[in-house]
Amino acid sequence: MLAGTKLVEAQPSGRPIRLLMLGDSITAGYGLARGEGPPARIEALLRDRGRNVTLQDAGVSGDTTAGGRARLEWALADRPDAAIVALGGNDALRGLTPAQMRANLTAILDGLAARNIPVLLAGMMAPPNLGAEYGREFAAVFSDLAAARPQLVFYPFLLEGVAGDPALNQADRIHPNPRGAQILAERMLPAIETLLDRVSASAPR
C-alpha cells in the first residue's frame, strides 16, 4: 500500500468490530457536544480508513480505576472484540495510592485476558503538585503492567500532545475541547489500528 492511501477492506465483511473504551470523563467527552468526544472521533477516523468498527463508549465522569473495575462486567455485556482501558486520572486527582491503582488495573486486565479480548492500555500522568516520587510511582504502574504483558498494546499517555495546551483544553485545563479531542484521536489512531489487527479475523463475532 502506498503511503497516504486509505486502508480499504481492512476488516472482513459482516458486523462491525466492537471496540470498548473503558474510561472516565476524558473518554466520555465531558463538556463536549454529542459526537465531539474521543470515542466518536476515533470511530470516524477508523471508518474513514476503511475500518468497520463501532466504538462502545464506557466512559463515566469521575470514575477511578476502582469504579472501572466494579463495572467491568456491565461494560462487557455487549461482548466487545477489543478494548481500550483509559483510567487513572481520577485516582491521581483524589490522591489514591499507586498500589491501589495497580491492583485495580491488574484486575481489569485479567478480566479482559480471561475472555481473550485484545487490549490497548492508555497511560496517564499524575499532576506535578502531588510530588515527583508520587509521579514516578504512578507512571510506573502503567509501564510495569505493559512490560509484564507483552500482548498489550501500550499507549504511554492518553493526553499526549493535548495536556497543558490552553488552546486544546476547556477552561478547567483538564478536559480536551473539540480540537483537543480530535488531536487525541489522531495521535492514538496508529496504536488503535495495531490493536484492531490483533482481533482474529477467524474468530466468531
Side-chain angles (χ1 to χ4, degrees):
M1 182 185 300
L2 295 176
T5 60
K6 289 186 178 181
L7 182 61
V8 180
E9 295 296 326
Q11 305 298 343
S13 59
R15 73 157 177 81
I17 285 180
R18 295 182 289 236
L19 176 58
L20 173 71
M21 197 165 190
L22 183 68
D24 50 32
S25 57
I26 302 295
T27 59
Y30 174 86
L32 301 178
R34 185 175 180 86
E36 290 183 340
R41 298 300 181 95
I42 289 168
E43 181 178 293
L45 288 171
L46 289 170
R47 288 185 175 272
D48 189 54
R49 289 180 60 80
R51 299 272 191 178
N52 189 17
V53 176
T54 296
L55 263 288
Q56 299 175 340
D57 182 2
V60 173
S61 293
D63 225 359
T64 62
T65 54
R69 178 180 182 177
R71 61 187 176 87
L72 180 61
E73 291 299 322
W74 169 81
L76 293 175
D78 289 332
R79 301 178 63 185
D81 302 297
I84 298 169
V85 177
L87 290 160
N90 287 311
D91 292 61
L93 291 176
R94 297 183 186 186
L96 303 179
T97 69
Q100 290 173 295
M101 184 173 72
R102 185 186 297 270
N104 292 324
L105 287 173
T106 297
I108 290 170
L109 296 176
D110 285 347
L112 293 167
R115 294 165 175 80
N116 297 313
I117 297 173
V119 177
L120 184 154
L121 176 64
M124 182 54 66
M125 295 175 63
N129 64 295
L130 294 175
E133 182 178 357
Y134 182 94
R136 286 191 296 269
E137 292 179 1
F138 185 91
V141 169
F142 297 97
S143 58
D144 289 351
L145 288 172
R149 298 168 185 257
Q151 72 275 21
L152 285 178
V153 178
F154 183 41
Y155 187 74
F157 184 33
L158 178 66
L159 295 172
E160 181 67 37
V162 177
D165 188 339
L168 300 177
N169 286 278
Q170 299 176 46
D172 61 11
R173 299 189 179 184
I174 296 175
H175 297 95
N177 60 24
R179 178 58 183 152
Q182 179 70 22
I183 290 176
L184 183 157
E186 290 172 354
R187 284 180 171 264
M188 287 192 76
L189 191 63
I192 293 171
E193 290 201 284
T194 297
L195 172 69
L196 295 175
D197 288 341
R198 297 186 181 184
V199 176
S200 174
S202 61
R205 296 192 283 111

